[in-house]
Amino acid sequence: MLGRIWRSDGMWLFWRSPAAVLAAIVAIVIIGGALLSPWIVATSPYDLASFSLMDGLLPPLWQGGDPRFPLGTDDQGRDMIAAILFGARLSLTIGLMAMAIASVLGIGLGLAAGYFGGRFDAIVMRIADVQLALPAILTALLIDGISRGLLPPDVQQSFRVAVLTLAIALSLWVNFARTARASVFVERNKDYVQAAIMMGQHPLRVMTYHILPNILGPLLVIMTVDLASAILLEATLSFLGIGLPADSPSLGTLIRIGMQFLLSGEWWILWVPTLFLVALVVSINILGDFLRDVFNPKVR
């Protein structure tokens, strides 16, 4: 399997694209560092005993800072590298879970709507149309507000990650549903699908075993793009103060904390996590564009 992937046209195109190679390197370094953060950094931003207020507001190393903190520290004495890697770990976890939920929900509804058609298709598409009329952040805000009204105040913090993940997922499922539905219309009348139907196979088997594998290309591109969108949406909600609390340092939370130092001399507290977030999102988007070109030779 790995040998077939290595010898495929996609890998040949990948090595001929400097932008895709550079984006993959950046994404691997950032994602790998975030996933391995508990083992590669000396302090944890969650452990109050691991940092000291006496180390607060130390500048980066090239501005005369402490060698223990190459990118400086924030006002609480937390190592910026540790805070950013742990924050990226939380942001990536939320983004991946939200994208997974959105893809399963959207692809499932899109497959069923395209396959069965009729009233079910009309209901799903009208719901999708209504949601498309609302900005994704407004949908996430609405779901976040409903959860705050339903959950008791003393347990709201315990469910912040789950609520935020669900809010982001429910604001992103429409792209998967519309793409899957349109692709099913193309595949449904092909001979291999009609043969499976005439053989009496169950509709669920026809959709999952015969149609879904042939429409995965465009869906994979949407997964990549929506992963970047989910990370940005989490950062936006946390930046606005309605996402994660300050003691859960995601990238959005770190940027929100750094905003109070915008006009001070401690520029690194705001700009280091901001540049880190930009590098992560841009690299994922470049890889998404590359996958789009691989699966659609007409745009090469």
Side-chain angles (χ1 to χ4, degrees):
M1 182 67 180
L2 292 177
R4 291 179 59 187
I5 295 176
W6 183 259
R7 295 188 296 271
S8 65
D9 292 343
M11 287 303 298
W12 183 80
L13 291 170
F14 174 77
W15 292 118
R16 289 176 59 86
S17 172
V21 172
L22 179 60
I25 293 173
V26 172
I28 290 173
V29 170
I30 294 177
I31 295 174
L35 295 178
L36 299 176
S37 56
W39 298 278
I40 62 176
V41 294
T43 61
S44 168
Y46 298 107
D47 184 9
L48 297 178
S50 66
F51 50 90
S52 169
L53 289 176
M54 298 297 292
D55 294 325
L57 300 178
L58 290 177
L61 189 58
W62 63 87
Q63 287 192 339
D66 193 312
R68 294 177 299 163
F69 311 108
L71 293 181
T73 61
D74 62 9
D75 59 328
Q76 301 179 45
R78 294 185 300 191
D79 181 14
M80 290 301 299
I81 293 179
I84 289 172
L85 290 181
F86 273 87
R89 190 165 183 252
L90 186 54
S91 296
L92 280 168
T93 300
I94 293 174
L96 286 170
M97 289 194 302
M99 188 269 294
I101 296 172
S103 61
V104 171
L105 177 63
I107 293 172
L109 288 175
L111 279 173
Y115 186 84
F116 295 111
R119 185 172 299 178
F120 181 78
D121 178 35
I123 293 173
V124 172
M125 286 302 103
R126 295 298 80 74
I127 295 174
D129 291 340
V130 171
Q131 183 153 342
L132 282 177
L134 300 172
I137 189 171
L138 188 58
T139 304
L141 284 171
L142 177 63
I143 296 170
D144 181 75
I146 293 174
S147 72
R148 289 176 186 271
L150 295 177
L151 294 174
D154 56 334
V155 300
Q156 287 182 3
Q157 294 299 330
S158 303
F159 289 90
R160 291 308 302 155
V161 172
V163 171
L164 188 59
T165 300
L166 184 62
I168 296 172
L170 293 181
S171 64
L172 296 177
W173 69 275
V174 177
N175 289 336
F176 290 102
R178 294 177 70 90
T179 303
R181 173 178 175 268
S183 300
V184 170
F185 284 151
V186 176
E187 299 292 326
R188 188 174 56 185
N189 295 323
K190 290 186 176 178
D191 293 342
Y192 72 95
V193 175
Q194 292 300 317
I197 296 173
M198 292 180 64
M199 291 172 64
Q201 293 190 9
H202 192 277
L204 183 61
R205 180 176 178 82
V206 175
M207 286 187 283
T208 55
Y209 282 85
H210 297 288
I211 296 179
L212 183 59
N214 291 289
I215 64 174
L216 276 180
L219 296 175
L220 186 60
V221 176
I222 294 178
M223 287 180 187
T224 308
V225 175
D226 273 5
L227 174 59
S229 299
I231 293 172
L232 275 180
L233 197 51
E234 180 279 321
T236 303
L237 292 171
S238 296
F239 177 79
L240 294 174
I242 52 178
L244 297 174
D247 57 353
S248 298
S250 70
L251 291 176
T253 306
L254 293 175
I255 294 173
R256 174 162 59 91
I257 294 173
M259 276 299 293
Q260 59 184 307
F261 300 95
L262 176 63
L263 301 178
S264 69
E266 294 82 17
W267 58 269
W268 59 90
I269 302 177
L270 171 63
W271 289 107
V272 170
T274 301
L275 293 175
F276 194 88
L277 175 63
V278 170
L280 175 61
V281 172
V282 169
S283 62
I284 293 175
N285 280 333
I286 290 176
L287 290 176
D289 290 342
F290 170 76
L291 290 176
R292 180 203 58 196
D293 296 346
V294 169
F295 289 114
N296 187 4
K298 293 180 180 178
V299 302
R300 292 178 194 168

